Amino acid sequence: MTTASSPARRHPEIPTQERGGAVGEASLQLSRIRRIGRKLFDVANCIITLGNMPPAVREGENAMSAAETGFCYDVSAADELIVVTDAKNHASLGQHAAVAGSPHIRFYASHPVYNEDRTLAGSVCLIDYAPRPIFREGDRHLLADLAALVERELELRSVNASQLDLQKKNKNLRRKSLIDPLIGTWNRGAIMRILTIEAIRCDKAGVPLSLIVADLDYFKRINDTYGHPAGDAVLVKVASKLRSCIRPQEALGRYGGEEFLIVLPGSSHSTAMVVAERMRLAIASQPEMIGGATLSLTISAGVASTDVFPTATTEELISRADMALYAAKDAGRNRIVKATPDLS
């Protein structure tokens, strides 16, 4: 199908406009549908309107494109096919600035586009600068098919948005299932999984893996004296201080009631001892105020590393660190002990 054309009628591709319930980035698929519409009907432009408000003029968009888009949004979307063979002679459209003046639109046709719930979403519009006396029944069917493609894209977008929302919710749920609800660190299951993954990774990379098992000293006394809410508050503060002592690639998890497991991939035994001592000082150097009382807190910790126990499994490393922790407790608490082969 061909029509008389004006030298000014062709212009660069403009991104699809999306407004109303479909606000978002320009859709590549809708842009393709517009290109099909221009080629199929040999018109100056095919515009998809969604919602009631036209988009802001984009940087680099020419005045003709903006005028065409504004015109299509000015002609309110209707729930039926509209064909105006010569807008200049139309009772109402003939008064529009884009018809009476530049860019002198003459032909206009639109087909409604519906949302999945069959509410009116917008329209597919055809624009040209020469009147088109004939718009055959086949043309009407093709325009309806074009509108159906747009509806399909909106439906897919809605499904994709729902899927993304569901994935986000599932991701949040999975994360929540891995986080200790009180202190916000990894829980026991998560920190053990991290330890297993890091052990495999470090073994393949040929680098050491160290871990620290730290325990808050005299925690039962805090609970008995000040109550469990005070004890919970202490754990939250202790966890925060311990977290501040490690790097992003290292992991802190709650291993037991007041016991923490810290995984240090790539760290040697000596480096892990430095980290553990940093943690001890962070806790001991600043008393905490709980319920009006000043509490001097301390931790004891055991450190184990694959550069001392090269064949140890993760369970064996934890066991070695536990033995070192018990040794620290027996030696008077508020200290760090390194696991060695002769420690039992």
Side-chain angles (χ1 to χ4, degrees), residues 28-47:
L28 178 61
Q29 184 60 24
L30 292 184
S31 293
R32 288 170 176 164
I33 294 173
R34 293 181 59 202
R35 286 197 296 272
I36 291 171
R38 284 201 299 274
K39 292 291 185 181
L40 188 63
F41 294 97
D42 191 24
V43 291
N45 208 352
C46 175
I47 295 171

Side-chain angles (χ1 to χ4, degrees), residues 217-233:
D217 296 328
Y218 301 112
F219 182 66
K220 184 177 184 302
R221 184 185 300 173
I222 296 173
N223 277 336
D224 292 343
T225 304
Y226 302 99
H228 287 279
D232 290 346

Side-chain angles (χ1 to χ4, degrees), residues 144-161:
D145 290 341
L146 214 59
L149 289 177
V150 175
E151 291 173 355
R152 176 61 175 167
E153 175 62 21
L154 295 181
E155 181 182 350
L156 288 174
R157 182 172 305 171
S158 176
V159 170
N160 289 339

Side-chain angles (χ1 to χ4, degrees), residues 285-344:
S285 61
Q286 185 176 353
E288 296 290 347
M289 292 293 298
I290 301 294
T294 302
L295 300 182
S296 295
L297 304 175
T298 62
I299 61 169
S300 300
V303 177
S305 175
T306 56
D307 58 2
V308 176
F309 304 99
T311 62
T313 64
T314 53
E315 291 79 6
E316 290 170 344
L317 274 182
I318 292 176
S319 177
R320 293 286 187 175
D322 268 333
M323 286 190 286
L325 170 62
Y326 296 145
K329 294 282 189 181
D330 291 341
R333 296 180 170 81
N334 189 25
R335 66 193 63 222
I336 309 300
V337 173
K338 64 180 179 180
T340 57
D342 57 348
L343 185 65
S344 59

Side-chain angles (χ1 to χ4, degrees), residues 244-304:
S244 70
C245 296
I246 61 176
R247 299 173 296 177
Q249 65 268 34
E250 297 164 343
L252 169 71
R254 190 178 185 183
Y255 190 59
E258 68 273 20
E259 197 169 51
F260 298 88
L261 176 61
I262 301 96
V263 180
L264 308 173
S267 292
S268 65
H269 200 94
S270 59
T271 300
M273 287 293 292
V274 171
V275 175
E277 180 62 17
R278 186 188 308 146
M279 289 179 166
R280 188 192 68 79
L281 290 174
I283 302 301
S285 61
Q286 185 176 353
E288 296 290 347
M289 292 293 298
I290 301 294
T294 302
L295 300 182
S296 295
L297 304 175
T298 62
I299 61 169
S300 300
V303 177

Side-chain angles (χ1 to χ4, degrees), residues 16-269:
T16 298
Q17 301 87 8
E18 299 179 60
R19 285 299 183 267
V23 175
E25 294 297 324
S27 166
L28 178 61
Q29 184 60 24
L30 292 184
S31 293
R32 288 170 176 164
I33 294 173
R34 293 181 59 202
R35 286 197 296 272
I36 291 171
R38 284 201 299 274
K39 292 291 185 181
L40 188 63
F41 294 97
D42 191 24
V43 291
N45 208 352
C46 175
I47 295 171
I48 299 170
T49 67
L50 296 172
N52 299 317
M53 296 295 293
V57 177
R58 299 172 183 270
E59 184 178 353
E61 184 176 349
N62 60 38
M64 183 181 292
S65 298
E68 291 170 347
T69 301
F71 174 79
C72 290
Y73 274 93
D74 286 345
V75 182
S76 300
D79 58 1
E80 61 181 358
L81 173 69
I82 295 176
V83 178
V84 179
T85 58
D86 191 344
K88 188 176 181 180
N89 297 326
H90 192 271
S92 59
L93 296 188
Q95 306 302 313
H96 194 282
V99 176
S102 179
H104 299 287
I105 294 171
R106 299 294 296 274
F107 172 73
Y108 171 79
S110 71
H111 194 287
V113 171
Y114 295 98
N115 288 314
E116 194 173 358
D117 60 0
R118 300 309 297 168
T119 58
L120 190 62
S123 59
V124 179
C125 307
L126 304 178
I127 294 289
D128 211 349
Y129 294 94
R132 181 171 297 203
I134 299 174
F135 198 73
R136 298 183 178 87
E137 189 67 22
D139 298 328
R140 296 169 183 261
H141 289 310
L142 287 175
L143 188 54
D145 290 341
L146 214 59
L149 289 177
V150 175
E151 291 173 355
R152 176 61 175 167
E153 175 62 21
L154 295 181
E155 181 182 350
L156 288 174
R157 182 172 305 171
S158 176
V159 170
N160 289 339
S162 297
Q163 289 177 337
L164 288 174
D165 183 57
L166 182 60
Q167 289 172 1
K168 183 178 179 181
K169 289 178 179 177
N170 287 339
K171 184 177 180 179
N172 289 338
L173 285 174
R174 285 196 298 270
R175 182 172 178 84
K176 285 181 179 179
S177 71
L178 300 174
I179 298 296
D180 184 276
L182 173 63
I183 61 178
T185 66
W186 299 114
N187 60 26
R188 183 187 178 99
I191 195 65
M192 291 299 294
R193 182 180 178 186
I194 290 171
L195 175 59
T196 300
I197 292 172
E198 292 294 354
I200 295 172
R201 189 180 67 82
C202 288
D203 182 60
K204 288 182 178 180
V207 296
L209 170 71
S210 296
L211 57 84
I212 302 168
V213 176
D215 186 84
L216 183 59
D217 296 328
Y218 301 112
F219 182 66
K220 184 177 184 302
R221 184 185 300 173
I222 296 173
N223 277 336
D224 292 343
T225 304
Y226 302 99
H228 287 279
D232 290 346
V234 166
L235 284 177
V236 171
K237 293 186 177 185
V238 167
S240 178
K241 288 182 178 180
L242 295 180
R243 189 184 292 110
S244 70
C245 296
I246 61 176
R247 299 173 296 177
Q249 65 268 34
E250 297 164 343
L252 169 71
R254 190 178 185 183
Y255 190 59
E258 68 273 20
E259 197 169 51
F260 298 88
L261 176 61
I262 301 96
V263 180
L264 308 173
S267 292
S268 65
H269 200 94

